[in-house]
Amino acid sequence: MSATSTGDQADADPRRWWGLVVIALAQLMVVLDATIVNIALPSAQRDLGISDGDRQWVITAYTLAFGGLLLLGGRIADLVGRKRTFVIGLVGFAAASALGGAATGSGMLFGARALQGAFAAMLAPSALSLLTTTFTDPKERGKAFGIYGALAGSGAAIGFIVGGLLTEYLNWRWCLYVNIPVAVVAVIGALVLLHDRPRHPGARLDVPGVLLGCGGLVAIVYGFSEAEPRGWTDALVLTFFAAGVVLLTTFVWWQTRARTPLLPLHILKDRNRAGCFLTMGLAVIGMFGLFLFMTYYLQVVLAYSPVQTGLAFLPLTASIIIGSTQISARLINRVPPRALMAPGMLLASAGMVILTRMTVDSAYATEILPALILMGLGMGLTFMPVFSTATAGVAPQDSGVTSATLNTSQQVGGSIGTALLNTIATTSSTAYLTAHVTDPGGRAQTAKVAVVHGYTVAIWWAAAIMLLAGLIAALMVTAKPSRHGAPAHTPVPESVA
């Protein structure tokens, strides 16, 4: 059966919009889980007796497994079927969440979070590729990707809100248990509503590619995770960076020779797709920096409760949803993708610049809120066309691995953003404190000022990185509006460079 007829059948299904709800639920769960535990972390640390040195593993175990195994998860979706991989990912994610919620010690919790990340690496690419093959009509594709982009962009912020509510009114364990009912609903919906294509007979998994590619990604993500507590010049950090570069370089060489490559290189050689991958990675560096600093700023500096902190992110979430579903989704068929992505990054960068004026007693309504709204609108304008453009015109057998590559740029960008911007903030705070402490009696107040100074310096860097993302989108993404270009379901031939 041709890709066109498959797409037409999917479009003819009157239940496809309910299928989108199922896909959106799964995507929200995966993105939300990267941050929902952040606010619950202090409670979990006290309850399980986790040391300060080890507490980062509650976050790192998830991001390491997720980011490192995404390429494998994407290729599994292509080989065994997207729907089957999607359901397996949901069931595994729910089971891992139950294990983490019932954790009796730190090791059990770390292991459960790593399992969550591994199943998320199966779930995220299969969700995006199901969306890609279900909605092929340009108009419907715009609406569907608008909703998907809104959830991808706002999921982390929603995680703070839900995490704050659950931690304050129940306990930290519910930040993990909450995934179980969501996954059950999504599994039932997937079995009833989602369709799949037959698997390709004779398809094989590129085992050397898996070892080299996933090993390289794990090494890079782990290196960035350890750069935060250890410092960039630490021998272990440098060793993992070097190992990651060597493994990924070898991986690229192997992909040119493998019979069934894990990542067909023609996916990366496409100018529009490469531009989208780079734009996504750089945008997420800035976004994760914002989440990191604003969480600490609101709770530690302004003394907000977990619930207040979560609610403070609500305007950001609403702005991302508006930017994605009401602006990008309506314009994607009328203007080139870069006409949304570049201005979106400019808006987000402007929001960051406003935040550089933060002080120890800034007013939320006049100094924080405008920045969050601009940031949200910018991310909403950017994420939707990135997802739509990066997955358009991909051969059906490559849709899973293309989705995985886009998710990988998101995860690696988040790891880099957290480590890089936190290091900049810490270094700047220390330098400020050293230069300004003259009276030991006033050290506490000066220390608070120094922390905020470190945040603002790092936010300047985040603003510059987002401007660079906008520049890359403007120069590299040359795709035309969907209605003027090739139909979304027209596959890219295997030989296209």
Side-chain angles (χ1 to χ4, degrees):
M1 184 180 292
S2 72
T4 304
S5 61
T6 303
D8 290 341
Q9 282 181 10
D11 278 346
D13 184 355
R15 300 179 302 175
R16 64 191 176 281
W17 292 104
W18 285 108
L20 173 62
V21 172
V22 173
I23 294 168
L25 261 181
Q27 175 64 18
L28 179 61
M29 187 174 67
V30 167
V31 178
L32 182 146
D33 244 70
T35 55
I36 192 172
V37 178
N38 283 37
I39 289 178
L41 190 52
S43 303
Q45 185 180 359
R46 285 193 304 270
D47 198 9
L48 299 180
I50 303 171
S51 69
D52 286 348
D54 287 342
R55 68 183 174 188
Q56 64 149 333
W57 279 103
V58 177
I59 310 299
T60 305
Y62 181 80
T63 57
L64 191 61
F66 191 9
L69 298 176
L70 269 165
L71 282 180
L72 174 60
R75 190 41 103 190
I76 288 173
D78 289 331
L79 295 180
V80 306
R82 293 180 284 266
K83 178 178 173 178
R84 187 181 300 174
T85 307
F86 184 76
V87 171
I88 292 170
L90 282 169
V91 172
F93 198 90
S97 299
L99 184 67
T104 54
S106 58
M108 188 172 170
L109 180 59
F110 299 158
R113 289 288 284 167
L115 272 176
Q116 274 188 311
F119 284 108
M122 295 177 69
L123 193 52
S126 56
L128 183 53
S129 55
L130 278 166
L131 183 70
T132 302
T133 53
T134 300
F135 294 92
T136 55
D137 176 77
K139 260 190 179 176
E140 291 195 343
R141 187 178 170 87
K143 291 178 186 175
F145 274 88
I147 294 167
Y148 188 89
L151 289 172
S154 62
I158 293 171
F160 288 120
I161 299 168
V162 176
L165 290 167
L166 292 174
T167 302
E168 192 153 320
Y169 294 114
L170 292 170
N171 64 49
W172 67 268
R173 295 180 186 275
W174 280 96
C175 290
L176 294 160
Y177 286 144
V178 72
N179 293 318
I180 300 170
V182 175
V184 168
V185 171
V187 166
I188 295 169
L191 294 173
V192 173
L193 298 167
L194 297 180
H195 302 283
D196 205 355
R197 61 176 177 83
R199 57 166 291 179
H200 286 281
R204 293 286 182 270
L205 188 64
D206 174 20
V207 176
V210 169
L211 296 174
L212 291 167
C214 294
L217 285 172
V218 166
I220 293 288
V221 173
Y222 183 73
F224 276 110
S225 302
E226 288 296 301
E228 192 180 339
R230 292 174 178 268
W232 293 94
T233 56
D234 180 81
L236 182 70
V237 172
L238 293 176
T239 299
F240 272 98
F241 280 151
V245 169
V246 169
L247 286 169
L248 290 178
T249 303
T250 310
F251 170 74
V252 172
W253 169 81
W254 172 252
Q255 294 308 281
T256 63
R257 286 156 177 77
R259 272 175 78 183
T260 54
L262 179 68
L263 176 60
L265 294 183
H266 65 78
I267 290 171
L268 298 178
K269 289 177 182 176
D270 180 85
R271 178 184 180 132
N272 291 303
R273 207 163 284 123
C276 287
F277 294 154
L278 282 172
T279 301
M280 173 62 83
L282 291 169
V284 172
I285 288 176
M287 188 174 76
F288 267 67
L290 172 79
F291 290 148
L292 177 72
F293 300 132
M294 290 311 298
T295 303
Y296 279 97
Y297 176 76
L298 293 170
Q299 287 196 73
V300 177
V301 179
L302 298 187
Y304 280 25
S305 70
V307 170
Q308 286 176 315
T309 301
L311 293 176
F313 281 104
L314 200 54
L316 174 72
T317 305
S319 299
I320 291 174
I321 292 171
I322 291 169
S324 191
T325 62
Q326 300 305 308
I327 302 176
S328 280
R330 292 174 185 271
L331 294 177
I332 191 68
N333 296 323
R334 301 178 185 178
V335 301
R338 64 178 171 183
L340 296 170
M341 293 160 63
M345 283 292 91
L346 190 61
L347 271 180
S349 182
M352 285 290 198
V353 170
I354 292 173
L355 284 179
T356 61
R357 302 172 61 198
M358 283 191 316
T359 64
V360 292
D361 53 4
S362 289
Y364 176 83
T366 56
E367 297 173 74
I368 308 299
L369 181 60
L372 294 181
I373 291 172
L374 280 178
M375 178 83 179
L377 286 173
M379 298 307 290
L381 280 171
T382 304
F383 272 19
M384 184 266 160
V386 163
F387 282 117
S388 180
T389 307
T391 56
V394 178
Q397 65 268 24
D398 291 334
S399 64
V401 76
T402 303
S403 304
T405 308
L406 186 56
N407 275 283
T408 299
S409 67
Q410 203 173 350
Q411 281 301 307
V412 173
S415 298
I416 294 172
T418 302
L420 174 65
L421 297 176
N422 193 57
T423 302
I424 291 170
T426 304
T427 306
S428 301
S429 294
T430 304
Y432 183 94
L433 194 60
T434 304
H436 290 81
V437 171
T438 52
D439 175 21
R443 184 179 178 87
Q445 181 61 22
T446 307
K448 192 178 279 192
V449 173
V451 166
V452 175
H453 170 76
Y455 292 167
T456 57
V457 171
I459 288 170
W460 272 116
W461 278 86
I465 290 168
M466 286 187 155
L467 274 181
L468 178 59
L471 183 63
I472 286 172
L475 295 177
M476 288 188 67
V477 182
T478 57
K480 293 182 171 70
S482 299
R483 66 173 181 177
H484 298 306
H489 54 254
T490 303
V492 176
E494 289 292 335
S495 59
V496 171

PDB file of all heavy atoms in Angstrom, residues 131-153:
ATOM      1  N   LEU A 131       1.458  10.753  14.879  1.00  0.00           N
ATOM      2  CA  LEU A 131       0.830  12.033  14.525  1.00  0.00           C
ATOM      3  C   LEU A 131       1.152  12.394  13.075  1.00  0.00           C
ATOM      4  O   LEU A 131       0.285  12.827  12.315  1.00  0.00           O
ATOM      5  CB  LEU A 131       1.334  13.125  15.468  1.00  0.00           C
ATOM      6  CG  LEU A 131       0.729  14.520  15.293  1.00  0.00           C
ATOM      7  CD1 LEU A 131      -0.723  14.523  15.748  1.00  0.00           C
ATOM      8  CD2 LEU A 131       1.520  15.548  16.081  1.00  0.00           C
ATOM      9  N   THR A 132       2.412  12.195  12.689  1.00  0.00           N
ATOM     10  CA  THR A 132       2.860  12.532  11.331  1.00  0.00           C
ATOM     11  C   THR A 132       2.100  11.747  10.269  1.00  0.00           C
ATOM     12  O   THR A 132       1.725  12.286   9.229  1.00  0.00           O
ATOM     13  CB  THR A 132       4.373  12.237  11.202  1.00  0.00           C
ATOM     14  OG1 THR A 132       5.077  13.003  12.185  1.00  0.00           O
ATOM     15  CG2 THR A 132       4.893  12.604   9.832  1.00  0.00           C
ATOM     16  N   THR A 133       1.862  10.466  10.529  1.00  0.00           N
ATOM     17  CA  THR A 133       1.222   9.621   9.526  1.00  0.00           C
ATOM     18  C   THR A 133      -0.309   9.646   9.613  1.00  0.00           C
ATOM     19  O   THR A 133      -0.982   9.226   8.685  1.00  0.00           O
ATOM     20  CB  THR A 133       1.712   8.167   9.661  1.00  0.00           C
ATOM     21  OG1 THR A 133       1.533   7.734  11.023  1.00  0.00           O
ATOM     22  CG2 THR A 133       3.183   8.057   9.303  1.00  0.00           C
ATOM     23  N   THR A 134      -0.853  10.135  10.719  1.00  0.00           N
ATOM     24  CA  THR A 134      -2.308  10.222  10.866  1.00  0.00           C
ATOM     25  C   THR A 134      -2.854  11.486  10.213  1.00  0.00           C
ATOM     26  O   THR A 134      -3.911  11.479   9.582  1.00  0.00           O
ATOM     27  CB  THR A 134      -2.706  10.198  12.359  1.00  0.00           C
ATOM     28  OG1 THR A 134      -2.258   8.975  12.943  1.00  0.00           O
ATOM     29  CG2 THR A 134      -4.216  10.298  12.527  1.00  0.00           C
ATOM     30  N   PHE A 135      -2.111  12.603  10.345  1.00  0.00           N
ATOM     31  CA  PHE A 135      -2.575  13.892   9.806  1.00  0.00           C
ATOM     32  C   PHE A 135      -1.661  14.315   8.661  1.00  0.00           C
ATOM     33  O   PHE A 135      -0.547  14.797   8.887  1.00  0.00           O
ATOM     34  CB  PHE A 135      -2.597  14.955  10.902  1.00  0.00           C
ATOM     35  CG  PHE A 135      -3.608  14.678  11.976  1.00  0.00           C
ATOM     36  CD1 PHE A 135      -3.258  13.972  13.114  1.00  0.00           C
ATOM     37  CD2 PHE A 135      -4.928  15.095  11.837  1.00  0.00           C
ATOM     38  CE1 PHE A 135      -4.201  13.700  14.106  1.00  0.00           C
ATOM     39  CE2 PHE A 135      -5.872  14.824  12.816  1.00  0.00           C
ATOM     40  CZ  PHE A 135      -5.509  14.129  13.953  1.00  0.00           C
ATOM     41  N   THR A 136      -2.130  14.088   7.422  1.00  0.00           N
ATOM     42  CA  THR A 136      -1.328  14.408   6.250  1.00  0.00           C
ATOM     43  C   THR A 136      -1.898  15.574   5.452  1.00  0.00           C
ATOM     44  O   THR A 136      -1.176  16.195   4.678  1.00  0.00           O
ATOM     45  CB  THR A 136      -1.228  13.176   5.331  1.00  0.00           C
ATOM     46  OG1 THR A 136      -2.548  12.722   5.028  1.00  0.00           O
ATOM     47  CG2 THR A 136      -0.461  12.053   6.014  1.00  0.00           C
ATOM     48  N   ASP A 137      -3.180  15.884   5.623  1.00  0.00           N
ATOM     49  CA  ASP A 137      -3.763  17.042   4.953  1.00  0.00           C
ATOM     50  C   ASP A 137      -3.178  18.316   5.564  1.00  0.00           C
ATOM     51  O   ASP A 137      -3.153  18.456   6.794  1.00  0.00           O
ATOM     52  CB  ASP A 137      -5.289  17.032   5.147  1.00  0.00           C
ATOM     53  CG  ASP A 137      -5.935  18.274   4.559  1.00  0.00           C
ATOM     54  OD1 ASP A 137      -6.079  18.353   3.331  1.00  0.00           O
ATOM     55  OD2 ASP A 137      -6.291  19.175   5.363  1.00  0.00           O
ATOM     56  N   PRO A 138      -2.659  19.260   4.746  1.00  0.00           N
ATOM     57  CA  PRO A 138      -1.980  20.444   5.284  1.00  0.00           C
ATOM     58  C   PRO A 138      -2.783  21.226   6.327  1.00  0.00           C
ATOM     59  O   PRO A 138      -2.243  21.647   7.345  1.00  0.00           O
ATOM     60  CB  PRO A 138      -1.698  21.290   4.037  1.00  0.00           C
ATOM     61  CG  PRO A 138      -1.593  20.297   2.935  1.00  0.00           C
ATOM     62  CD  PRO A 138      -2.575  19.216   3.273  1.00  0.00           C
ATOM     63  N   LYS A 139      -4.091  21.401   6.088  1.00  0.00           N
ATOM     64  CA  LYS A 139      -4.894  22.161   7.044  1.00  0.00           C
ATOM     65  C   LYS A 139      -5.016  21.446   8.383  1.00  0.00           C
ATOM     66  O   LYS A 139      -4.811  22.018   9.447  1.00  0.00           O
ATOM     67  CB  LYS A 139      -6.300  22.402   6.464  1.00  0.00           C
ATOM     68  CG  LYS A 139      -6.494  23.780   5.874  1.00  0.00           C
ATOM     69  CD  LYS A 139      -7.959  24.012   5.561  1.00  0.00           C
ATOM     70  CE  LYS A 139      -8.122  25.419   4.978  1.00  0.00           C
ATOM     71  NZ  LYS A 139      -9.521  25.665   4.572  1.00  0.00           N
ATOM     72  N   GLU A 140      -5.350  20.154   8.325  1.00  0.00           N
ATOM     73  CA  GLU A 140      -5.497  19.377   9.553  1.00  0.00           C
ATOM     74  C   GLU A 140      -4.153  19.206  10.246  1.00  0.00           C
ATOM     75  O   GLU A 140      -4.070  19.211  11.473  1.00  0.00           O
ATOM     76  CB  GLU A 140      -6.103  18.008   9.230  1.00  0.00           C
ATOM     77  CG  GLU A 140      -7.555  18.085   8.795  1.00  0.00           C
ATOM     78  CD  GLU A 140      -8.228  16.728   8.840  1.00  0.00           C
ATOM     79  OE1 GLU A 140      -7.504  15.709   8.891  1.00  0.00           O
ATOM     80  OE2 GLU A 140      -9.467  16.695   8.841  1.00  0.00           O
ATOM     81  N   ARG A 141      -3.105  19.066   9.438  1.00  0.00           N
ATOM     82  CA  ARG A 141      -1.760  18.907   9.990  1.00  0.00           C
ATOM     83  C   ARG A 141      -1.375  20.128  10.827  1.00  0.00           C
ATOM     84  O   ARG A 141      -0.802  20.005  11.906  1.00  0.00           O
ATOM     85  CB  ARG A 141      -0.780  18.711   8.833  1.00  0.00           C
ATOM     86  CG  ARG A 141       0.636  18.367   9.245  1.00  0.00           C
ATOM     87  CD  ARG A 141       1.476  18.143   8.000  1.00  0.00           C
ATOM     88  NE  ARG A 141       2.887  18.037   8.317  1.00  0.00           N
ATOM     89  CZ  ARG A 141       3.480  16.913   8.659  1.00  0.00           C
ATOM     90  NH1 ARG A 141       2.794  15.796   8.732  1.00  0.00           N
ATOM     91  NH2 ARG A 141       4.783  16.888   8.932  1.00  0.00           N
ATOM     92  N   GLY A 142      -1.745  21.316  10.336  1.00  0.00           N
ATOM     93  CA  GLY A 142      -1.452  22.540  11.085  1.00  0.00           C
ATOM     94  C   GLY A 142      -2.117  22.549  12.449  1.00  0.00           C
ATOM     95  O   GLY A 142      -1.481  22.866  13.462  1.00  0.00           O
ATOM     96  N   LYS A 143      -3.391  22.183  12.495  1.00  0.00           N
ATOM     97  CA  LYS A 143      -4.115  22.149  13.778  1.00  0.00           C
ATOM     98  C   LYS A 143      -3.516  21.105  14.719  1.00  0.00           C
ATOM     99  O   LYS A 143      -3.301  21.356  15.906  1.00  0.00           O
ATOM    100  CB  LYS A 143      -5.593  21.828  13.544  1.00  0.00           C
ATOM    101  CG  LYS A 143      -6.378  22.930  12.858  1.00  0.00           C
ATOM    102  CD  LYS A 143      -7.816  22.485  12.619  1.00  0.00           C
ATOM    103  CE  LYS A 143      -8.580  23.524  11.798  1.00  0.00           C
ATOM    104  NZ  LYS A 143      -9.949  23.048  11.451  1.00  0.00           N
ATOM    105  N   ALA A 144      -3.262  19.900  14.173  1.00  0.00           N
ATOM    106  CA  ALA A 144      -2.751  18.807  14.998  1.00  0.00           C
ATOM    107  C   ALA A 144      -1.376  19.138  15.573  1.00  0.00           C
ATOM    108  O   ALA A 144      -1.112  18.921  16.761  1.00  0.00           O
ATOM    109  CB  ALA A 144      -2.680  17.521  14.166  1.00  0.00           C
ATOM    110  N   PHE A 145      -0.508  19.677  14.724  1.00  0.00           N
ATOM    111  CA  PHE A 145       0.832  20.014  15.206  1.00  0.00           C
ATOM    112  C   PHE A 145       0.813  21.243  16.105  1.00  0.00           C
ATOM    113  O   PHE A 145       1.701  21.418  16.937  1.00  0.00           O
ATOM    114  CB  PHE A 145       1.802  20.201  14.036  1.00  0.00           C
ATOM    115  CG  PHE A 145       2.416  18.920  13.577  1.00  0.00           C
ATOM    116  CD1 PHE A 145       1.790  18.135  12.616  1.00  0.00           C
ATOM    117  CD2 PHE A 145       3.597  18.465  14.124  1.00  0.00           C
ATOM    118  CE1 PHE A 145       2.337  16.934  12.201  1.00  0.00           C
ATOM    119  CE2 PHE A 145       4.155  17.270  13.718  1.00  0.00           C
ATOM    120  CZ  PHE A 145       3.529  16.493  12.749  1.00  0.00           C
ATOM    121  N   GLY A 146      -0.192  22.100  15.942  1.00  0.00           N
ATOM    122  CA  GLY A 146      -0.345  23.219  16.867  1.00  0.00           C
ATOM    123  C   GLY A 146      -0.594  22.727  18.280  1.00  0.00           C
ATOM    124  O   GLY A 146       0.021  23.195  19.247  1.00  0.00           O
ATOM    125  N   ILE A 147      -1.488  21.743  18.412  1.00  0.00           N
ATOM    126  CA  ILE A 147      -1.785  21.164  19.730  1.00  0.00           C
ATOM    127  C   ILE A 147      -0.558  20.428  20.268  1.00  0.00           C
ATOM    128  O   ILE A 147      -0.177  20.584  21.436  1.00  0.00           O
ATOM    129  CB  ILE A 147      -2.994  20.214  19.618  1.00  0.00           C
ATOM    130  CG1 ILE A 147      -4.248  21.012  19.269  1.00  0.00           C
ATOM    131  CG2 ILE A 147      -3.198  19.441  20.919  1.00  0.00           C
ATOM    132  CD1 ILE A 147      -5.425  20.174  18.834  1.00  0.00           C
ATOM    133  N   TYR A 148       0.091  19.653  19.412  1.00  0.00           N
ATOM    134  CA  TYR A 148       1.270  18.893  19.833  1.00  0.00           C
ATOM    135  C   TYR A 148       2.401  19.826  20.259  1.00  0.00           C
ATOM    136  O   TYR A 148       3.050  19.620  21.293  1.00  0.00           O
ATOM    137  CB  TYR A 148       1.736  17.996  18.688  1.00  0.00           C
ATOM    138  CG  TYR A 148       2.827  17.030  19.056  1.00  0.00           C
ATOM    139  CD1 TYR A 148       2.523  15.773  19.548  1.00  0.00           C
ATOM    140  CD2 TYR A 148       4.173  17.376  18.913  1.00  0.00           C
ATOM    141  CE1 TYR A 148       3.523  14.878  19.893  1.00  0.00           C
ATOM    142  CE2 TYR A 148       5.172  16.498  19.252  1.00  0.00           C
ATOM    143  CZ  TYR A 148       4.844  15.240  19.742  1.00  0.00           C
ATOM    144  OH  TYR A 148       5.848  14.368  20.082  1.00  0.00           O
ATOM    145  N   GLY A 149       2.633  20.879  19.459  1.00  0.00           N
ATOM    146  CA  GLY A 149       3.689  21.841  19.798  1.00  0.00           C
ATOM    147  C   GLY A 149       3.402  22.565  21.093  1.00  0.00           C
ATOM    148  O   GLY A 149       4.311  22.850  21.876  1.00  0.00           O
ATOM    149  N   ALA A 150       2.120  22.866  21.343  1.00  0.00           N
ATOM    150  CA  ALA A 150       1.748  23.534  22.592  1.00  0.00           C
ATOM    151  C   ALA A 150       2.085  22.653  23.790  1.00  0.00           C
ATOM    152  O   ALA A 150       2.624  23.129  24.801  1.00  0.00           O
ATOM    153  CB  ALA A 150       0.261  23.870  22.586  1.00  0.00           C
ATOM    154  N   LEU A 151       1.791  21.364  23.673  1.00  0.00           N
ATOM    155  CA  LEU A 151       2.073  20.455  24.784  1.00  0.00           C
ATOM    156  C   LEU A 151       3.575  20.241  24.961  1.00  0.00           C
ATOM    157  O   LEU A 151       4.073  20.177  26.087  1.00  0.00           O
ATOM    158  CB  LEU A 151       1.378  19.112  24.547  1.00  0.00           C
ATOM    159  CG  LEU A 151      -0.142  19.138  24.684  1.00  0.00           C
ATOM    160  CD1 LEU A 151      -0.738  17.817  24.253  1.00  0.00           C
ATOM    161  CD2 LEU A 151      -0.544  19.458  26.120  1.00  0.00           C
ATOM    162  N   ALA A 152       4.292  20.126  23.850  1.00  0.00           N
ATOM    163  CA  ALA A 152       5.746  19.935  23.935  1.00  0.00           C
ATOM    164  C   ALA A 152       6.417  21.140  24.584  1.00  0.00           C
ATOM    165  O   ALA A 152       7.357  21.009  25.365  1.00  0.00           O
ATOM    166  CB  ALA A 152       6.322  19.704  22.545  1.00  0.00           C
ATOM    167  N   GLY A 153       5.914  22.338  24.273  1.00  0.00           N
ATOM    168  CA  GLY A 153       6.507  23.547  24.826  1.00  0.00           C
ATOM    169  C   GLY A 153       6.087  23.841  26.240  1.00  0.00           C
ATOM    170  O   GLY A 153       6.863  24.362  27.044  1.00  0.00           O
TER     171      GLY A 153
END
